[in-house]
Amino acid sequence: MSEIRNINAQRWLDAFSEPHAAIYTFSHCMALADLNGDNDYKLIVADLGTGTMNIKLKVYKGTSLFTESTLIDVPTGVVTFHMDVSEPRIPAVAVASGPNIYIYKNMRPYFKFSLPTLEVNALERDLWLQMRDKCMEVDTFFELIQNLRQEIGFTHLTPRSQQLLLLEHEKWKSFVETHVTTPLKKQTVITSITTLNKNMAEEDAVACLVVGTENGGIYVLDPEAFTVLESLSLSGCSSSNNTVPVHLVATGLFDVEYRILATCRDGTICLLRRGFQEAKVLVQLSTQVVAMVVILENNNIVTALMDRTIQCFTRKGKKHWEIKSPKNVTTMGVVPLHHLSLTLLAVAMTGGTVQLYEGRQLVDVVTVPDTVSALRFGHFGQEENTLILITVGGSLYVKILKRTAHFTPQNDCIGLVPAQQIKMAIPKKTKLFVEHTMRERENAIAMHQTFQHDLFRLRLNTARACVRALESCNNPISTSTVDPLKMTAQVLGLGPKFKLYLTLENMSVSSTSKDLAISFHCDDKIYSVEKPFIYIPVLAPGLTYQFETGVECVSELGISDQIRIFIVKLDQSEPLLAVMVAMPACDTLTNV
Amino acid sequence: MGIWDKLTRLLGLKKREVNVLVVGLNNSGKSTVINHFKSEEERSTEIVATVGFNVEKFRNKNVGFTAFDMSGQGRYRDLWEHYYKECQGIIFVVDSSDRLRLVVVRDELDLLLQHPDVTGRRIPILFFANKMDIREALSSVKIAAALGLERILDKPWHICASNALTGEGLQEGVEWLTQQIRELVSNK
Ligand SMILES: Nc1nc2c(ncn2[C@@H]2O[C@H](COP(=O)(O)OP(=O)(O)OP(=O)(O)O)[C@@H](O)[C@H]2O)c(=O)[nH]1
Ligand SMILES: [Mg+2]
């Protein structure tokens, strides 16, 4: 780890850090733009404050706060875009908040766009009307609204009914009384916002706004007139009713060909293209998505998931790779480095590390004292390669990439080592080796035939031995289903007196074997067996039994022979199993 | 005064032309600084961002200067080092209102000082803490501290606050540089 930090100290310059900046925000609510047309790029941040107070739109010029304006409601996204072709090229700022988009020009409020109102459910409207005319008790009214919720789903109710359903019993009445007279309106809220260039690819070309809404809608808005150019619904393209777009990425040109990717709360990634009647599900992920980015060079979609994985998909939705992240990911961002023709992926994790990946290769790590909640890389001030990090504690850190920095994969870290980088210790090709390979190449067919021949030989021999063993029952293991037995024999002693030890085991699970006997067969001119017949009354399953007998070599010649041992069932003619014991040669000298 | 005259004469015999390299980040005001040294009739009214580099000539106190006005943009900064060898003095222009990029200035200065064509040479370096008229501008003392100029022990250096638009502070700086170069030449 220390090694990485050293490299990192060489790559990134700490341009500015303000631990007490008190900005609480997410990557969506941060933008970098040349707001004054003087090539001094500003940082625009929508500060969420406490969530109810101190909600502000802040603009940083270099290291100092430039302007600050209060926002009415919690922002869900901030983007900058060019509304028209007028000179100087000053971009407008769009802040999405609730059902509205607030447009600022020259940092002054310019226009407010509101999402079109939706049709209220007829029954819901009737219920509220009846309530207004005081035809109903509050409790029955609540009950009926509750039933309606079961029927059409919470998200399809008006915000007023939703709010009512969340209230405690004693507050129902006063809530209904205060609101019942105003007309019922249903409007959804904006969950995400991005831009899509209209007909030119340049960075400062006119761009449309693309917004995703809580009811699963995607709208493309005209940059000048703010009319809805395109609207599509995501609900219905997936089985769950939770296809709410939370991350949007739009590429291409609206007038020519475009792709809008939306990751939804249910883990689907949907694709919208020019001419699509409805959205297409590109990927169905197993868990929820924390962040999504698209690498412009190859159109790869990279997602960070709740299960601590980072997964990459091709533009067609095919999985490309997956890596485990050591900690929970909080946000991601793209780091395009034009001077190196490289696009890195910045992944912020809990604890304050920001890892930089090239493809799936870890190439750098940047650390700050606290978990990063928002990050953005781009042109800030006069500097093109600036990384801006805002932590959960509200600190602001600005890092500048050194001009001399290069990124090479770090092998000893997570991520895979590319195969071509492993150097194997391959010995030098000797003359012998070369000749051998030549020979092998020339005689390939003959070699194969010889091998096959030998293989068949081996198989034949095995088969023969098997048949012989079966025929003679010369098998230390009885496979008979009634009496599965196993026997081993051991000869002890130097001769002429030997001891023969036999171990018998009943291998069946439960049934005992009865009325068995051991008998010995040998040339009586050579050996005499002390107990040629041993009766076994019973063999309990799972236990091993020991039997023994003395054997004496009676031959003077000092030759050795085999003894065959049979296990027989008393009323059967064929032995259950047989073992052949080769007796050792008897050392006659010791007998003397 | 006697020594001064002697020096001028000595220099007159030896060398009247010197090369200076003008470096600094983009937008720091290098071209504007050089433009100010040129005579009234040669001065250009509008200055655009330099591409690559420009060669400008001007005279100060009987010494002819050939200034290499380098571009400060990131992609052109690796051109600087090719001119270290031929120059007898370096003018380093810093935008003292660009606090964000002071680290970048320091980094570029370190690269310059570590370059084999610069280390070990007693080459005078003049720093202009330019754009002193802007409200957020840092003082020349603060700039010197931020860049760690006290670390430069083997070279004469000087920093002065300047405003290249009005010319304030520029004369002081270039006089110092002229004197340094003269001393160096006469000591040879
Ligand atoms: N306020 C103020 N502006 C200045 C000063 N000096 C230069 N400028 C302005 O700064 C901008 C950049 O000046 P240039 O001289 O082009 O900067 P440069 O260092 O040559 O830039 P590159 O050629 O891109 O490396 C111009 O708009 C100048 O008018 C100064 O002292 N004060
Ligand atoms: Mg210039």
Side-chain angles (χ1 to χ4, degrees):
Chain A
M1 216 42 201
S2 67
E3 199 187 324
I4 299 169
R5 221 165 268 152
N6 282 338
I7 298 167
N8 150 32
Q10 288 161 13
R11 282 193 186 128
W12 297 91
L13 301 164
D14 291 314
F16 180 59
S17 56
E18 173 55 287
H20 306 295
I23 313 171
Y24 305 96
T25 195
F26 302 105
S27 300
H28 295 128
C29 293
M30 246 208 305
L32 288 164
D34 184 9
L35 281 191
N36 303 87
D38 56 359
N39 205 36
D40 184 8
Y41 281 68
K42 311 288 187 303
L43 168 67
I44 305 121
V45 195
D47 184 353
L48 278 78
T50 59
T52 48
M53 295 219 307
N54 284 326
I55 307 172
K56 286 192 169 128
L57 184 65
K58 294 178 172 172
V59 177
Y60 274 82
K61 174 185 159 65
T63 58
S64 53
L65 191 60
F66 189 50
T67 63
E68 196 179 58
S69 42
T70 305
L71 294 173
I72 305 156
D73 204 355
V74 179
T76 48
V78 172
V79 290
T80 60
F81 69 110
H82 288 277
M83 289 171 59
D84 45 41
V85 289
S86 68
E87 293 282 339
R89 306 294 292 139
I90 291 176
V93 177
V95 181
S97 168
N100 306 315
I101 302 174
Y102 300 91
I103 313 287
Y104 291 78
K105 257 198 140 177
N106 289 309
M107 279 333 281
R108 268 188 285 276
Y110 175 79
F111 185 73
K112 177 179 141 185
F113 168 83
S114 294
L115 286 175
T117 50
L118 302 167
E119 198 158 324
V120 179
N121 181 283
L123 185 56
E124 191 184 354
R125 185 194 304 277
D126 272 3
L127 285 173
W128 279 96
L129 282 176
Q130 284 181 31
M131 207 50 208
R132 192 188 63 190
D133 303 339
K134 306 214 172 11
C135 313
M136 222 190 302
E137 276 299 303
V138 174
D139 283 15
T140 31
F141 175 65
F142 188 89
E143 194 81 4
L144 288 167
I145 293 280
Q146 187 79 41
N147 289 347
L148 190 62
R149 172 210 183 149
Q150 303 281 323
E151 206 177 301
I152 64 172
F154 190 74
T155 48
H156 295 283
L157 291 173
T158 61
R160 193 194 292 171
S161 304
Q162 289 178 347
Q163 218 170 332
L164 175 73
L165 287 175
L166 297 175
L167 287 179
E168 289 140 31
H169 182 258
E170 56 267 28
K171 293 191 185 146
W172 293 352
K173 204 172 167 106
S174 62
F175 180 84
V176 170
E177 273 164 12
T178 45
H179 294 284
V180 76
T181 46
T182 44
L184 200 59
K185 218 169 93 177
K186 190 173 151 199
Q187 211 169 18
T188 181
V189 293
I190 297 171
T191 52
S192 47
I193 184 166
T194 187
T195 57
L196 171 62
N197 281 11
K198 197 158 184 330
N199 44 29
M200 292 215 271
E202 282 81 43
E203 215 167 291
D204 65 345
V206 174
C208 305
L209 292 178
V210 181
V211 293
T213 62
E214 185 66 44
N215 67 339
I218 302 252
Y219 297 92
V220 181
L221 307 178
D222 183 78
E224 241 168 332
F226 291 99
T227 49
V228 176
L229 293 175
E230 186 85 60
S231 83
L232 266 178
S233 173
L234 294 182
S235 53
C237 71
S238 136
S239 53
S240 82
N241 55 7
N242 208 3
T243 39
V244 181
V246 280
H247 305 280
L248 281 179
V249 178
T251 52
L253 302 173
F254 180 73
D255 286 348
V256 187
E257 175 66 62
Y258 64 86
R259 285 164 64 88
I260 299 171
L261 285 163
T263 44
C264 301
R265 239 171 247 155
D266 61 353
T268 48
I269 302 180
C270 298
L271 170 71
L272 288 164
R273 284 177 69 174
R274 191 183 169 79
F276 271 28
Q277 296 300 316
E278 60 176 22
K280 185 180 140 195
V281 176
L282 208 59
V283 185
Q284 177 67 58
L285 295 158
S286 51
T287 51
Q288 292 193 321
V289 180
V290 181
M292 170 184 69
V293 295
V294 169
I295 308 285
L296 272 183
E297 289 167 358
N298 44 19
N299 270 308
N300 279 352
I301 308 159
V302 186
T303 53
L305 305 186
M306 292 282 277
D307 62 359
R308 288 191 181 181
T309 57
I310 301 168
Q311 303 191 0
C312 176
F313 300 91
T314 62
R315 56 179 293 160
K316 296 236 169 82
K318 235 181 85 187
K319 189 146 159 197
H320 205 33
W321 49 258
E322 171 180 335
I323 49 174
K324 276 256 162 222
S325 86
K327 292 199 182 112
N328 287 329
V329 175
T330 53
T331 186
M332 289 202 301
V334 275
V335 179
L337 302 172
H338 304 295
H339 64 294
L340 298 174
S341 344
L342 200 75
T343 301
L344 303 183
L345 173 74
V347 184
M349 293 168 193
T350 49
T353 38
V354 178
Q355 295 192 328
L356 292 162
Y357 289 87
E358 185 200 342
R360 59 175 146 176
Q361 285 288 307
L362 181 66
V363 289
D364 200 7
V365 179
V366 175
T367 38
V368 288
D370 196 5
T371 304
V372 172
S373 64
L375 72 82
R376 187 148 299 252
F377 179 87
H379 204 150
F380 184 36
Q382 298 283 343
E383 186 56 51
E384 272 170 50
N385 302 316
T386 316
L387 181 64
I388 295 162
L389 307 170
I390 294 175
T391 68
V392 288
S395 317
L396 168 68
Y397 298 94
V398 181
K399 314 243 175 207
I400 295 178
L401 186 71
K402 269 192 170 192
R403 179 169 63 88
T404 48
H406 286 280
F407 292 92
T408 42
Q410 293 171 6
N411 289 343
D412 53 336
C413 295
I414 52 154
L416 290 175
V417 184
Q420 62 269 29
Q421 289 209 349
I422 307 167
K423 224 170 152 73
M424 279 196 285
I426 301 167
K428 273 221 173 95
K429 280 183 195 160
T430 57
K431 194 165 164 247
L432 192 74
F433 174 79
V434 175
E435 279 170 2
H436 191 73
T437 36
M438 292 292 287
R439 215 164 34 238
E440 277 181 358
R441 217 181 292 163
E442 278 161 20
N443 303 315
I445 295 170
M447 275 166 64
H448 181 71
Q449 282 170 348
T450 318
F451 172 76
Q452 287 293 326
H453 183 245
D454 286 351
L455 186 64
F456 285 132
R457 272 286 234 331
L458 182 68
R459 283 188 186 148
L460 181 66
N461 282 344
T462 318
R464 271 190 191 141
C466 186
V467 169
R468 210 182 301 133
L470 286 174
E471 274 172 353
S472 61
C473 297
N474 226 346
N475 200 350
I477 297 174
S478 148
T479 47
S480 128
T481 45
V482 194
D483 299 292
L485 295 177
K486 189 175 120 184
M487 178 168 76
T488 50
Q490 205 180 2
V491 187
L492 296 179
L494 294 167
K497 281 188 177 153
F498 299 95
K499 203 96 190 172
L500 203 58
Y501 279 105
L502 302 175
T503 328
L504 255 185
E505 191 180 336
N506 181 357
M507 289 188 300
S508 86
V509 186
S510 51
S511 65
T512 49
S513 303
K514 278 187 223 142
D515 294 329
L516 302 179
I518 306 172
S519 81
F520 299 87
H521 172 83
C522 58
D523 190 340
D524 58 0
K525 290 196 188 82
I526 305 174
Y527 296 109
S528 93
V529 179
E530 191 185 321
K531 288 187 266 185
F533 186 86
I534 305 168
Y535 177 65
I536 311 165
V538 67
L539 274 184
L543 295 178
T544 51
Y545 293 83
Q546 290 268 3
F547 303 94
E548 56 165 271
T549 179
V551 177
E552 196 179 346
C553 180
V554 289
S555 157
E556 314 268 271
L557 299 167
I559 49 164
S560 67
D561 195 17
Q562 291 168 333
I563 298 179
R564 298 177 88 181
I565 308 164
F566 300 100
I567 308 290
V568 290
K569 196 137 179 124
L570 287 187
D571 49 1
Q572 274 178 17
S573 56
E574 206 174 306
L576 287 175
L577 61 89
V579 169
M580 194 99 76
V581 179
M583 296 302 287
C586 167
D587 196 346
T588 39
L589 285 178
T590 48
N591 197 23
V592 180
Chain B
M1 204 51 197
I3 306 169
W4 186 255
D5 286 336
K6 235 193 246 167
L7 281 177
T8 336
R9 242 175 287 135
L10 243 161
L11 210 83
L13 288 172
K14 283 186 169 169
K15 202 174 186 182
R16 274 220 157 103
E17 296 291 319
V18 292
N19 292 335
V20 289
L21 186 67
V22 186
V23 293
L25 304 189
N26 53 320
N27 199 49
S28 56
K30 299 177 291 295
S31 305
T32 318
V33 166
I34 294 176
N35 194 46
H36 197 269
F37 289 130
K38 292 198 275 193
S39 59
E40 298 279 351
E41 54 268 27
E42 284 173 36
R43 237 171 248 183
S44 50
T45 46
E46 210 179 320
I47 288 165
V48 291
T50 314
V51 176
F53 68 96
N54 287 326
V55 183
E56 308 281 359
K57 286 189 194 279
F58 63 89
R59 298 192 76 78
N60 183 272
K61 288 258 160 69
N62 220 17
V63 177
F65 282 87
T66 305
F68 292 88
D69 175 16
M70 307 303 294
S71 168
Q73 285 173 55
R75 59 176 169 278
Y76 293 124
R77 278 181 221 155
D78 40 10
L79 290 179
W80 298 1
E81 61 183 30
H82 299 290
Y83 299 88
Y84 293 161
K85 217 174 217 161
E86 290 129 60
C87 68
Q88 282 86 45
I90 294 173
I91 299 177
F92 203 116
V93 186
V94 183
D95 178 352
S96 39
S97 69
D98 190 358
R99 296 174 186 223
L100 195 67
R101 288 205 299 168
L102 270 183
V103 274
V104 184
V105 178
R106 189 182 171 131
D107 183 46
E108 292 296 348
L109 177 65
D110 288 348
L111 287 173
L112 183 146
L113 293 173
Q114 285 156 19
H115 194 274
D117 291 345
V118 176
T119 41
R121 266 179 78 194
R122 254 191 84 78
I123 178 167
I125 308 177
L126 169 63
F127 293 91
F128 279 125
N130 197 31
K131 303 200 186 182
M132 63 189 245
D133 54 302
I134 295 181
R135 199 160 47 88
E136 304 97 82
L138 290 167
S139 68
S140 57
V141 179
K142 285 213 176 116
I143 298 280
L147 300 185
L149 298 187
E150 72 284 349
R151 295 170 304 158
I152 309 175
L153 302 171
D154 62 340
K155 293 174 190 39
W157 60 268
H158 185 72
I159 182 164
C160 42
S162 68
N163 177 351
L165 295 180
T166 61
E168 225 179 319
L170 294 184
Q171 199 54 34
E172 180 207 325
V174 87
E175 266 169 30
W176 175 85
L177 187 67
T178 315
Q179 193 190 336
Q180 288 298 322
I181 294 175
R182 276 181 175 162
E183 273 176 27
L184 276 181
V185 172
S186 61
N187 284 350
K188 266 187 186 165

